[in-house]
Amino acid sequence: MTSVQTPSWRRRALWPVLGALALAASGAQADSYPDKPITLVVGYPPGGSTDLMARTLAPELSKRLGTPVVIENLGGAGGAIGAQKVASALADGYTLLVAANNEIAIKRLVAPASVKYEQRDFTPLGLIASQPMVLVASPKTGVKTTAEFLKLVKANPGKFTYGTSGVGTALHLAGEMMKDQGGLFMTHIPYRGVAPLTTDLLGSNVDFGVFVLSSGLPLIQSGKLIALGTTERRRAQATPEVPAIAETPALKGIDISSWFALLGPARLPEPVLVKLKKALAESLQAPDLRKKLEETGSAIAAPQLDLGKFMAEETAKYKRIVEFARIEE
């Protein structure tokens, strides 16, 4: 049997028609969005601050979008594995990332060879909240204030240690910022998460630590660890009794936080983008969500904030710290 082939000129003539049909189909899918569950990817194991943010946000998004919103924890590489999954996902709005500044603005600075995505590989949907970090002391140090911390460490260069939950995290950068501004010589001890750091602080195997406030709050409230100061310029609403580190004159330039954002893959269709931004903005006004986040020391993001510009500015700030401390993985 002789096969009949469409002449090449006809195939070329059909391309615009096929393209228009594909675009129309894509538009129809976007208009019906969402018609199946949405996955919020978290690049960390359950129980951490980013996971808490996602689990607080998910029910509110679900209400407003009219579809289940499920959490997928994909821990590893300081959040980069989860971020890579979303950067590579189909741009249909069904796979989103609840991101922290670690994997979006810091990771590429400290481990450029291992990070295959860039900020342009994501669609910014909105900042969710920010949260200060807190400098804590092991009771064995006898230190009660940031001023006492400065005096002790400066008088004993190289003797004291501070721990965080990993190299190149916002916590690590906060510690190095304090070293830079305070003229301190102190050794950083990285841990694989909050739990082993907590164990060593309570056992006085490390002298000081930097926690995200929500992670450190139970230990501070129980009196097991001493809160010296928080890392944003103003005191945290959840701990008004704990001074901001910047209140100490030698560290007045300290202003750094952990922040959390909702991102999608690049090139989300406009109708999907509009629906997601609206759902996020409405969710962040929900009284229950605001109460839960404020109890952890989080500040809800301003709805008019330009997330793309914010991420670029934060990355520039972190770059200066990374270069000063020569941080690399």
Short mmCIF file of all heavy atoms in Angstrom, two decimals, residues 40-99:
data_model
loop_
_atom_site.label_atom_id
_atom_site.label_comp_id
_atom_site.label_asym_id
_atom_site.label_seq_id
_atom_site.Cartn_x
_atom_site.Cartn_y
_atom_site.Cartn_z
N LEU A 40 1.85 21.27 47.66
CA LEU A 40 2.82 22.24 48.18
C LEU A 40 4.08 21.46 48.56
O LEU A 40 4.07 20.66 49.48
CB LEU A 40 2.29 22.96 49.42
CG LEU A 40 1.12 23.92 49.27
CD1 LEU A 40 0.87 24.64 50.60
CD2 LEU A 40 1.36 24.93 48.17
N VAL A 41 5.15 21.68 47.83
CA VAL A 41 6.42 21.01 48.11
C VAL A 41 7.16 21.79 49.19
O VAL A 41 7.26 23.02 49.13
CB VAL A 41 7.28 20.91 46.83
CG1 VAL A 41 8.65 20.29 47.14
CG2 VAL A 41 6.56 20.08 45.76
N VAL A 42 7.68 21.06 50.17
CA VAL A 42 8.51 21.63 51.23
C VAL A 42 9.85 20.91 51.17
O VAL A 42 9.91 19.68 51.26
CB VAL A 42 7.87 21.43 52.62
CG1 VAL A 42 8.80 21.92 53.73
CG2 VAL A 42 6.53 22.15 52.70
N GLY A 43 10.92 21.67 51.02
CA GLY A 43 12.24 21.05 50.84
C GLY A 43 12.91 20.62 52.12
O GLY A 43 14.15 20.51 52.17
N TYR A 44 12.13 20.31 53.15
CA TYR A 44 12.67 19.94 54.46
C TYR A 44 11.79 18.86 55.07
O TYR A 44 10.62 18.73 54.71
CB TYR A 44 12.70 21.17 55.39
CG TYR A 44 13.49 22.32 54.83
CD1 TYR A 44 12.86 23.29 54.05
CD2 TYR A 44 14.85 22.43 55.06
CE1 TYR A 44 13.58 24.35 53.50
CE2 TYR A 44 15.58 23.49 54.52
CZ TYR A 44 14.94 24.43 53.74
OH TYR A 44 15.66 25.47 53.20
N PRO A 45 12.32 18.12 56.04
CA PRO A 45 11.49 17.11 56.72
C PRO A 45 10.37 17.76 57.52
O PRO A 45 10.41 18.96 57.81
CB PRO A 45 12.50 16.40 57.66
CG PRO A 45 13.84 16.77 57.15
CD PRO A 45 13.71 18.11 56.52
N PRO A 46 9.38 16.98 57.92
CA PRO A 46 8.29 17.52 58.77
C PRO A 46 8.83 18.06 60.09
O PRO A 46 9.83 17.56 60.62
CB PRO A 46 7.40 16.30 59.00
CG PRO A 46 7.69 15.38 57.87
CD PRO A 46 9.15 15.57 57.55
N GLY A 47 8.17 19.10 60.60
CA GLY A 47 8.49 19.60 61.93
C GLY A 47 9.30 20.88 61.97
O GLY A 47 9.36 21.52 63.02
N GLY A 48 9.92 21.26 60.86
CA GLY A 48 10.71 22.48 60.86
C GLY A 48 9.85 23.71 60.59
O GLY A 48 8.64 23.63 60.39
N SER A 49 10.50 24.87 60.55
CA SER A 49 9.76 26.12 60.40
C SER A 49 9.10 26.24 59.03
O SER A 49 7.97 26.75 58.92
CB SER A 49 10.69 27.31 60.65
OG SER A 49 11.84 27.25 59.81
N THR A 50 9.76 25.77 57.96
CA THR A 50 9.16 25.84 56.63
C THR A 50 7.97 24.90 56.52
O THR A 50 6.92 25.24 55.95
CB THR A 50 10.19 25.51 55.54
OG1 THR A 50 11.38 26.29 55.74
CG2 THR A 50 9.65 25.81 54.15
N ASP A 51 8.09 23.73 57.10
CA ASP A 51 6.99 22.77 57.12
C ASP A 51 5.81 23.33 57.90
O ASP A 51 4.65 23.21 57.47
CB ASP A 51 7.47 21.46 57.75
CG ASP A 51 6.38 20.40 57.82
OD1 ASP A 51 5.95 19.93 56.76
OD2 ASP A 51 5.95 20.06 58.94
N LEU A 52 6.08 23.96 59.03
CA LEU A 52 5.03 24.58 59.83
C LEU A 52 4.31 25.65 59.02
O LEU A 52 3.07 25.76 59.05
CB LEU A 52 5.62 25.18 61.10
CG LEU A 52 4.68 26.04 61.96
CD1 LEU A 52 3.54 25.20 62.52
CD2 LEU A 52 5.45 26.71 63.10
N MET A 53 5.06 26.45 58.28
CA MET A 53 4.47 27.51 57.46
C MET A 53 3.54 26.89 56.42
O MET A 53 2.41 27.38 56.20
CB MET A 53 5.59 28.31 56.78
CG MET A 53 5.19 29.64 56.26
SD MET A 53 4.67 30.85 57.53
CE MET A 53 6.10 30.93 58.60
N ALA A 54 4.00 25.84 55.76
CA ALA A 54 3.18 25.19 54.72
C ALA A 54 1.92 24.59 55.30
O ALA A 54 0.83 24.71 54.71
CB ALA A 54 4.01 24.12 54.01
N ARG A 55 2.01 23.94 56.43
CA ARG A 55 0.85 23.27 57.03
C ARG A 55 -0.15 24.28 57.60
O ARG A 55 -1.34 23.97 57.72
CB ARG A 55 1.30 22.27 58.10
CG ARG A 55 2.04 21.10 57.48
CD ARG A 55 2.52 20.05 58.46
NE ARG A 55 3.39 19.12 57.76
CZ ARG A 55 2.96 18.10 57.01
NH1 ARG A 55 1.66 17.89 56.91
NH2 ARG A 55 3.81 17.32 56.39
N THR A 56 0.32 25.45 57.96
CA THR A 56 -0.59 26.51 58.40
C THR A 56 -1.31 27.13 57.20
O THR A 56 -2.50 27.46 57.27
CB THR A 56 0.19 27.59 59.16
OG1 THR A 56 0.90 26.98 60.25
CG2 THR A 56 -0.74 28.65 59.73
N LEU A 57 -0.59 27.27 56.10
CA LEU A 57 -1.15 27.91 54.91
C LEU A 57 -2.09 27.00 54.12
O LEU A 57 -3.10 27.46 53.58
CB LEU A 57 0.00 28.37 54.00
CG LEU A 57 -0.38 29.03 52.68
CD1 LEU A 57 -1.13 30.33 52.92
CD2 LEU A 57 0.88 29.28 51.85
N ALA A 58 -1.77 25.71 54.05
CA ALA A 58 -2.49 24.79 53.16
C ALA A 58 -4.01 24.79 53.35
O ALA A 58 -4.75 24.87 52.36
CB ALA A 58 -1.93 23.38 53.31
N PRO A 59 -4.54 24.70 54.58
CA PRO A 59 -6.01 24.67 54.73
C PRO A 59 -6.68 25.94 54.23
O PRO A 59 -7.78 25.89 53.67
CB PRO A 59 -6.21 24.49 56.24
CG PRO A 59 -4.92 23.98 56.76
CD PRO A 59 -3.86 24.54 55.88
N GLU A 60 -6.02 27.07 54.41
CA GLU A 60 -6.60 28.34 53.96
C GLU A 60 -6.62 28.43 52.43
O GLU A 60 -7.60 28.87 51.83
CB GLU A 60 -5.82 29.53 54.54
CG GLU A 60 -5.86 29.62 56.06
CD GLU A 60 -7.27 29.90 56.60
OE1 GLU A 60 -8.11 30.39 55.84
OE2 GLU A 60 -7.51 29.58 57.78
N LEU A 61 -5.53 27.99 51.80
CA LEU A 61 -5.51 27.96 50.33
C LEU A 61 -6.58 27.02 49.79
O LEU A 61 -7.26 27.31 48.81
CB LEU A 61 -4.13 27.52 49.82
CG LEU A 61 -2.99 28.53 49.88
CD1 LEU A 61 -1.71 27.88 49.37
CD2 LEU A 61 -3.29 29.79 49.08
N SER A 62 -6.72 25.88 50.45
CA SER A 62 -7.71 24.88 50.02
C SER A 62 -9.12 25.46 50.04
O SER A 62 -9.91 25.26 49.11
CB SER A 62 -7.63 23.65 50.93
OG SER A 62 -8.57 22.68 50.53
N LYS A 63 -9.45 26.21 51.09
CA LYS A 63 -10.78 26.83 51.20
C LYS A 63 -11.04 27.78 50.02
O LYS A 63 -12.12 27.79 49.43
CB LYS A 63 -10.89 27.64 52.49
CG LYS A 63 -11.03 26.84 53.76
CD LYS A 63 -11.09 27.81 54.93
CE LYS A 63 -10.87 27.08 56.26
NZ LYS A 63 -10.81 28.05 57.39
N ARG A 64 -10.04 28.56 49.69
CA ARG A 64 -10.23 29.60 48.69
C ARG A 64 -10.14 29.08 47.25
O ARG A 64 -10.73 29.66 46.35
CB ARG A 64 -9.23 30.73 48.93
CG ARG A 64 -9.66 31.57 50.12
CD ARG A 64 -8.54 32.27 50.84
NE ARG A 64 -9.09 32.94 52.03
CZ ARG A 64 -9.35 32.34 53.18
NH1 ARG A 64 -9.10 31.05 53.32
NH2 ARG A 64 -9.88 33.01 54.19
N LEU A 65 -9.42 28.00 47.06
CA LEU A 65 -9.28 27.45 45.71
C LEU A 65 -10.28 26.32 45.45
O LEU A 65 -10.43 25.88 44.31
CB LEU A 65 -7.85 26.95 45.50
CG LEU A 65 -6.79 28.06 45.46
CD1 LEU A 65 -5.38 27.46 45.53
CD2 LEU A 65 -6.92 28.92 44.21
N GLY A 66 -10.92 25.84 46.51
CA GLY A 66 -11.94 24.81 46.34
C GLY A 66 -11.40 23.46 45.93
O GLY A 66 -12.08 22.69 45.23
N THR A 67 -10.18 23.15 46.37
CA THR A 67 -9.58 21.86 46.04
C THR A 67 -8.61 21.47 47.15
O THR A 67 -8.09 22.36 47.85
CB THR A 67 -8.83 21.94 44.69
OG1 THR A 67 -8.55 20.63 44.20
CG2 THR A 67 -7.53 22.70 44.80
N PRO A 68 -8.35 20.17 47.36
CA PRO A 68 -7.38 19.79 48.39
C PRO A 68 -5.98 20.35 48.09
O PRO A 68 -5.56 20.40 46.94
CB PRO A 68 -7.37 18.26 48.32
CG PRO A 68 -8.68 17.90 47.71
CD PRO A 68 -8.99 18.99 46.74
N VAL A 69 -5.30 20.78 49.14
CA VAL A 69 -3.92 21.22 49.04
C VAL A 69 -3.10 20.33 49.96
O VAL A 69 -3.32 20.34 51.18
CB VAL A 69 -3.77 22.71 49.43
CG1 VAL A 69 -2.31 23.12 49.41
CG2 VAL A 69 -4.59 23.59 48.48
N VAL A 70 -2.20 19.54 49.39
CA VAL A 70 -1.46 18.54 50.16
C VAL A 70 0.01 18.92 50.25
O VAL A 70 0.55 19.58 49.37
CB VAL A 70 -1.61 17.13 49.53
CG1 VAL A 70 -3.06 16.69 49.55
CG2 VAL A 70 -1.08 17.11 48.11
N ILE A 71 0.65 18.49 51.33
CA ILE A 71 2.06 18.78 51.56
C ILE A 71 2.91 17.60 51.12
O ILE A 71 2.62 16.45 51.43
CB ILE A 71 2.34 19.04 53.06
CG1 ILE A 71 1.38 20.10 53.62
CG2 ILE A 71 3.79 19.45 53.28
CD1 ILE A 71 1.49 21.45 53.02
N GLU A 72 3.98 17.89 50.41
CA GLU A 72 4.99 16.87 50.07
C GLU A 72 6.33 17.31 50.63
O GLU A 72 6.91 18.29 50.16
CB GLU A 72 5.10 16.66 48.56
CG GLU A 72 6.14 15.60 48.20
CD GLU A 72 6.34 15.39 46.71
OE1 GLU A 72 5.68 16.11 45.91
OE2 GLU A 72 7.15 14.54 46.33
N ASN A 73 6.80 16.62 51.65
CA ASN A 73 8.12 16.92 52.22
C ASN A 73 9.19 16.20 51.41
O ASN A 73 9.16 14.98 51.26
CB ASN A 73 8.19 16.46 53.68
CG ASN A 73 7.27 17.27 54.57
OD1 ASN A 73 6.13 16.89 54.82
ND2 ASN A 73 7.76 18.40 55.05
N LEU A 74 10.11 16.98 50.89
CA LEU A 74 11.17 16.43 50.04
C LEU A 74 12.49 16.99 50.53
O LEU A 74 13.10 17.86 49.92
CB LEU A 74 10.90 16.81 48.58
CG LEU A 74 11.55 15.99 47.48
CD1 LEU A 74 11.11 14.53 47.57
CD2 LEU A 74 11.17 16.55 46.11
N GLY A 75 12.92 16.51 51.70
CA GLY A 75 14.10 17.05 52.34
C GLY A 75 15.39 16.67 51.66
O GLY A 75 15.47 15.67 50.95
N GLY A 76 16.41 17.50 51.89
CA GLY A 76 17.74 17.21 51.37
C GLY A 76 18.37 18.42 50.72
O GLY A 76 17.69 19.27 50.16
N ALA A 77 19.71 18.49 50.85
CA ALA A 77 20.51 19.54 50.21
C ALA A 77 20.05 20.94 50.61
O ALA A 77 20.02 21.86 49.80
CB ALA A 77 20.48 19.39 48.69
N GLY A 78 19.67 21.09 51.88
CA GLY A 78 19.28 22.40 52.38
C GLY A 78 18.11 23.01 51.66
O GLY A 78 18.04 24.22 51.45
N GLY A 79 17.14 22.17 51.29
CA GLY A 79 15.95 22.64 50.61
C GLY A 79 16.04 22.63 49.10
O GLY A 79 15.04 22.83 48.40
N ALA A 80 17.23 22.38 48.55
CA ALA A 80 17.44 22.49 47.10
C ALA A 80 16.75 21.39 46.31
O ALA A 80 16.35 21.61 45.16
CB ALA A 80 18.93 22.50 46.78
N ILE A 81 16.58 20.20 46.88
CA ILE A 81 15.94 19.11 46.15
C ILE A 81 14.47 19.44 45.89
O ILE A 81 13.96 19.27 44.78
CB ILE A 81 16.08 17.78 46.92
CG1 ILE A 81 17.56 17.35 46.92
CG2 ILE A 81 15.22 16.69 46.28
CD1 ILE A 81 17.84 16.11 47.75
N GLY A 82 13.79 19.95 46.92
CA GLY A 82 12.40 20.35 46.74
C GLY A 82 12.27 21.50 45.76
O GLY A 82 11.37 21.52 44.91
N ALA A 83 13.17 22.47 45.87
CA ALA A 83 13.12 23.62 44.96
C ALA A 83 13.34 23.18 43.51
O ALA A 83 12.67 23.67 42.59
CB ALA A 83 14.17 24.65 45.37
N GLN A 84 14.26 22.26 43.31
CA GLN A 84 14.53 21.77 41.96
C GLN A 84 13.32 21.08 41.36
O GLN A 84 13.01 21.22 40.17
CB GLN A 84 15.73 20.81 41.96
CG GLN A 84 16.12 20.31 40.58
CD GLN A 84 16.56 21.43 39.66
OE1 GLN A 84 17.56 22.09 39.92
NE2 GLN A 84 15.83 21.64 38.58
N LYS A 85 12.60 20.33 42.18
CA LYS A 85 11.40 19.65 41.69
C LYS A 85 10.39 20.65 41.15
O LYS A 85 9.80 20.45 40.08
CB LYS A 85 10.76 18.81 42.79
CG LYS A 85 9.44 18.19 42.34
CD LYS A 85 8.86 17.20 43.30
CE LYS A 85 7.55 16.63 42.73
NZ LYS A 85 7.01 15.54 43.55
N VAL A 86 10.18 21.74 41.88
CA VAL A 86 9.19 22.73 41.45
C VAL A 86 9.69 23.51 40.24
O VAL A 86 8.93 23.80 39.31
CB VAL A 86 8.82 23.66 42.61
CG1 VAL A 86 7.87 24.76 42.15
CG2 VAL A 86 8.17 22.86 43.74
N ALA A 87 10.98 23.84 40.23
CA ALA A 87 11.54 24.56 39.08
C ALA A 87 11.38 23.75 37.80
O ALA A 87 11.23 24.32 36.71
CB ALA A 87 13.02 24.88 39.32
N SER A 88 11.40 22.42 37.92
CA SER A 88 11.31 21.54 36.75
C SER A 88 9.88 21.08 36.46
O SER A 88 9.66 20.37 35.48
CB SER A 88 12.19 20.30 36.97
OG SER A 88 13.52 20.66 37.27
N ALA A 89 8.93 21.45 37.31
CA ALA A 89 7.56 20.94 37.18
C ALA A 89 6.82 21.60 36.01
O ALA A 89 7.20 22.67 35.53
CB ALA A 89 6.80 21.18 38.48
N LEU A 90 5.77 20.93 35.58
CA LEU A 90 4.89 21.50 34.57
C LEU A 90 4.27 22.79 35.10
O LEU A 90 3.81 22.84 36.24
CB LEU A 90 3.79 20.49 34.25
CG LEU A 90 2.89 20.77 33.05
CD1 LEU A 90 3.69 20.74 31.76
CD2 LEU A 90 1.75 19.76 33.00
N ALA A 91 4.27 23.83 34.27
CA ALA A 91 3.77 25.13 34.72
C ALA A 91 2.26 25.20 34.60
O ALA A 91 1.70 25.94 33.79
CB ALA A 91 4.42 26.24 33.89
N ASP A 92 1.58 24.39 35.42
CA ASP A 92 0.11 24.35 35.38
C ASP A 92 -0.53 24.77 36.70
O ASP A 92 -1.75 24.79 36.82
CB ASP A 92 -0.36 22.95 34.98
CG ASP A 92 0.13 21.86 35.92
OD1 ASP A 92 0.78 22.19 36.95
OD2 ASP A 92 -0.12 20.68 35.64
N GLY A 93 0.31 25.08 37.71
CA GLY A 93 -0.22 25.55 38.99
C GLY A 93 -0.56 24.46 39.98
O GLY A 93 -1.08 24.76 41.06
N TYR A 94 -0.24 23.21 39.64
CA TYR A 94 -0.57 22.11 40.55
C TYR A 94 0.62 21.66 41.40
O TYR A 94 0.46 20.83 42.29
CB TYR A 94 -1.14 20.92 39.77
CG TYR A 94 -2.50 21.21 39.21
CD1 TYR A 94 -2.68 21.55 37.87
CD2 TYR A 94 -3.62 21.19 40.03
CE1 TYR A 94 -3.94 21.85 37.36
CE2 TYR A 94 -4.89 21.49 39.54
CZ TYR A 94 -5.04 21.82 38.20
OH TYR A 94 -6.29 22.12 37.71
N THR A 95 1.80 22.20 41.13
CA THR A 95 2.98 21.91 41.95
C THR A 95 3.62 23.24 42.33
O THR A 95 4.13 23.97 41.48
CB THR A 95 4.00 21.06 41.17
OG1 THR A 95 3.36 19.87 40.69
CG2 THR A 95 5.17 20.66 42.07
N LEU A 96 3.55 23.57 43.62
CA LEU A 96 4.04 24.85 44.13
C LEU A 96 5.07 24.60 45.23
O LEU A 96 5.14 23.50 45.78
CB LEU A 96 2.89 25.69 44.68
CG LEU A 96 1.69 25.91 43.74
CD1 LEU A 96 0.58 26.66 44.49
CD2 LEU A 96 2.11 26.68 42.49
N LEU A 97 5.83 25.62 45.54
CA LEU A 97 6.88 25.51 46.55
C LEU A 97 6.64 26.50 47.68
O LEU A 97 6.45 27.69 47.43
CB LEU A 97 8.25 25.79 45.92
CG LEU A 97 9.47 25.75 46.84
CD1 LEU A 97 9.76 24.31 47.28
CD2 LEU A 97 10.70 26.34 46.13
N VAL A 98 6.62 25.98 48.91
CA VAL A 98 6.72 26.87 50.07
C VAL A 98 8.21 26.94 50.38
O VAL A 98 8.81 25.97 50.86
CB VAL A 98 5.90 26.36 51.27
CG1 VAL A 98 6.16 27.24 52.48
CG2 VAL A 98 4.42 26.37 50.93
N ALA A 99 8.79 28.07 50.03
CA ALA A 99 10.25 28.20 50.05
C ALA A 99 10.72 29.06 51.20
O ALA A 99 10.01 29.94 51.67
CB ALA A 99 10.71 28.83 48.74
#
